[in-house]
Amino acid sequence: MFHLSFVFMLLLQYTDGKNFNKFPAIFIFGDSTVDTGNNNYINTAVKGNHYPYGKDFPGHVPTGRFSNGKLAVDFIGSFIGVKQTIPPFLQPGLSDDELRTGVSFASGGTGYDTLTAAIIGAVPMSRQIDYFKSYIVRLKKIVGEKEAHRIIGDSLVIVSAGTNDFIFNFYDIPTRVEFNIDTYQEFILERLHEFVKELYNLGGRTLIITGLPPIGCLPIQITSDIKARLDRTCVEEQNVDARAYNRKLIRLLDHIQMSFKESRISYADIYRPIMDMIEYPQKHGFRETLKGCCGTGLLEAGPICTPLTPLCHNASEYLFFDSIHPSEKAYRYVTESIKKQILKM
């Protein structure tokens, strides 16, 4: 399989070390970890377009990102030299230059399971594909059909989803009662496989697919579990499930890679860097790793993390900004852990 480090080594092969021109654009699909503001423009209560979200973003403005600042995809876009921040596709008035270099189609609260998005009115993954199709039509009008085909084929595509599927439909709101954890994982992976096929058929060739984080260490999951709540420890059963899913995902991506010979499909491990921050907080300068910065840090997120909610003094001392989403500092470390694989820094 083409691992994540290979993708960036390939990037360096095509550059002089200064002008990162391998990828002409970056395209993002998935959930709130990569939603740069699309939920601002849809009918859902789950939005990050209000303070304290964005308090440490350039200009100190809430953009719709569910964090105090930038997301990992923003740092990756900057690292590969495409753009400093990734705009949301649904933002009105995007310039031709912004469209030409890529956008995020992601929506906070979505997942591979169609029921997941329906619960809070997020953009389903299938509709994100539809948005991508309409984007391609617009791109062809801007640069012509041949150049649009080249841009799509040479671009970096990142897909980050899955966590909400397990939280909404299996752990906290068990709607998929026909499945056990093993069969539900297989169900989600089938949906993921179909999604990757769609991207490939639309021209995507270099794809990064993220695995699951340690779900049982999300503050809201700890709060939801009676045993873990008492001493604020991770819900190990959910972490075991996440690791099992990730192993299955790696095998699936190996299989997909063999089927799509022209593609470079990579697995991005986000589990280990997050666990590293949890297990070694002092090494990373964190004071708190199992509560969010917003409010009590136990439940507040989205519509209940508001300008009236008490806030920690320094978000960079917290791994999580709210009860679900990492802080900018945590996102930066996830990105740095990727860069270390290549540059050995």
Side-chain angles (χ1 to χ4, degrees), residues 147-166:
E147 178 63 5
H149 180 77
R150 184 196 71 81
I151 289 173
I152 300 299
D154 289 347
S155 292
L156 178 62
V157 180
I158 298 176
V159 183
S160 178
T163 302
N164 293 324
D165 294 313
F166 293 96

Side-chain angles (χ1 to χ4, degrees), residues 56-69:
D56 300 311
F57 193 82
H60 309 287
V61 294
T63 62
R65 289 167 173 80
F66 293 89
S67 187
N68 58 305

Side-chain angles (χ1 to χ4, degrees), residues 21-258:
N21 55 11
K22 167 57 183 169
F23 298 115
I26 183 170
F27 301 108
I28 313 297
F29 301 85
D31 58 24
S32 57
T33 58
V34 289
D35 179 1
T36 59
N38 284 306
N39 274 23
N40 296 351
Y41 310 102
I42 63 173
N43 186 22
T44 178
V46 180
K47 300 178 188 288
N49 61 349
H50 55 270
Y51 189 86
Y53 293 111
K55 66 180 289 292
D56 300 311
F57 193 82
H60 309 287
V61 294
T63 62
R65 289 167 173 80
F66 293 89
S67 187
N68 58 305
K70 293 183 178 182
L71 308 181
V73 291
D74 294 311
F75 293 125
I76 292 173
S78 176
F79 173 65
I80 66 175
V82 173
K83 54 177 69 181
Q84 295 298 308
T85 56
I86 315 299
F89 175 67
L90 296 181
Q91 179 179 320
L94 288 178
S95 68
D96 289 353
D97 285 339
E98 287 280 31
L99 288 168
R100 187 164 47 237
T101 51
V103 292
S104 172
F105 301 93
S107 175
T110 200
Y112 295 109
D113 188 338
T114 55
L115 283 183
T116 304
I119 290 173
I120 63 165
V123 179
M125 298 296 281
S126 59
R127 192 175 303 164
Q128 292 183 32
I129 287 289
D130 291 337
Y131 285 153
F132 189 37
K133 291 176 181 177
S134 65
Y135 166 86
I136 293 172
V137 172
R138 291 172 64 179
L139 184 64
K140 288 178 179 178
K141 292 179 180 178
I142 296 170
V143 300
E145 187 164 348
K146 183 177 180 180
E147 178 63 5
H149 180 77
R150 184 196 71 81
I151 289 173
I152 300 299
D154 289 347
S155 292
L156 178 62
V157 180
I158 298 176
V159 183
S160 178
T163 302
N164 293 324
D165 294 313
F166 293 96
I167 290 178
F168 291 168
N169 299 320
F170 200 84
Y171 298 131
D172 298 356
I173 312 172
T175 53
R176 290 294 194 179
V177 293
E178 68 270 33
F179 296 108
N180 59 34
I181 186 61
D182 186 64
T183 55
Y184 190 59
Q185 288 174 351
E186 297 295 337
F187 174 78
I188 294 300
L189 289 168
E190 287 175 9
R191 305 286 81 74
L192 185 155
H193 191 178
E194 292 171 2
F195 189 81
V196 172
K197 282 183 180 178
E198 289 265 26
L199 291 175
Y200 182 83
N201 290 336
L202 290 170
R205 291 297 180 265
T206 302
L207 283 70
I208 294 177
I209 315 296
T210 70
L212 293 179
I215 295 177
C217 294
L218 301 182
I220 198 166
Q221 292 308 101
I222 295 173
T223 303
S224 300
D225 187 276
I226 295 175
K227 294 180 181 178
R229 187 190 313 161
L230 296 175
D231 55 4
R232 299 304 298 177
T233 57
C234 297
V235 185
E236 183 55 25
E237 294 88 349
Q238 295 181 14
N239 285 352
V240 169
D241 293 342
R243 293 194 297 269
Y245 172 91
N246 289 342
R247 289 192 295 270
K248 293 178 181 180
L249 175 57
I250 291 170
R251 291 195 294 270
L252 174 62
L253 295 183
D254 277 332
H255 171 73
I256 297 174
Q257 178 69 76
M258 292 176 65

